[in-house]
Amino acid sequence: MENQDFKIGIKMVWFLVMGNFLLTVLGALAKIQDWEFSQLFLTVGLMLFFSTWIIILSDMVKNKIYNKTFWILTMFIIPTIATIFYLIQRNKLLRLGQRFS
């Protein structure tokens, strides 16, 4: 199996990851401050989070990456941090996966 890129483009995935992070943090802060639309921010942020989590997890499963088991387990243990670090390290992991497979 060769390296397959994301179906929607890496820039769009980065936009979704940063958007879900910012909306979730904004929604949590708004909930603490009792803003009127706090539930809307939190709901949209969490929906974006779950959609990007599925996109990145499917990318991990279908590509040959180095330490695939570690990355998939990390997605379940610390999902927010794992998505950002995986996107940063993705090209390096794909090269190492090709070399050591």
Side-chain angles (χ1 to χ4, degrees):
M1 177 184 283
E2 287 190 25
N3 173 17
Q4 299 174 356
D5 286 332
F6 292 108
K7 298 284 185 196
I8 59 174
I10 191 76
K11 288 184 182 181
M12 183 58 117
V13 174
W14 269 109
F15 178 74
L16 288 172
V17 167
M18 291 300 138
N20 81 54
F21 182 73
L22 292 174
L23 280 173
T24 305
V25 169
L26 180 66
L29 290 174
K31 195 73 164 169
I32 292 170
Q33 297 292 326
D34 283 333
W35 291 357
E36 186 176 344
F37 297 110
S38 64
Q39 191 66 35
L40 178 68
F41 289 129
L42 197 55
T43 303
V44 172
L46 289 175
M47 286 179 9
L48 282 175
F49 168 73
F50 287 121
S51 63
T52 56
W53 188 84
I54 290 171
I55 290 169
I56 292 174
L57 185 67
S58 66
D59 183 66
M60 285 180 186
V61 169
K62 70 181 172 185
N63 284 326
K64 283 186 178 179
I65 62 172
Y66 186 66
N67 285 338
K68 184 182 282 194
T69 308
F70 166 76
W71 283 101
I72 291 175
L73 286 175
T74 306
M75 284 289 286
F76 285 100
I77 296 170
I78 46 174
T80 306
I81 297 170
T83 56
I84 294 171
F85 281 125
Y86 175 74
L87 287 176
I88 292 170
Q89 294 290 319
R90 183 177 184 268
N91 290 332
K92 181 180 177 182
L93 293 170
L94 288 172
R95 281 193 311 261
L96 288 172
Q98 297 278 330
R99 184 186 305 170
F100 293 121
S101 63

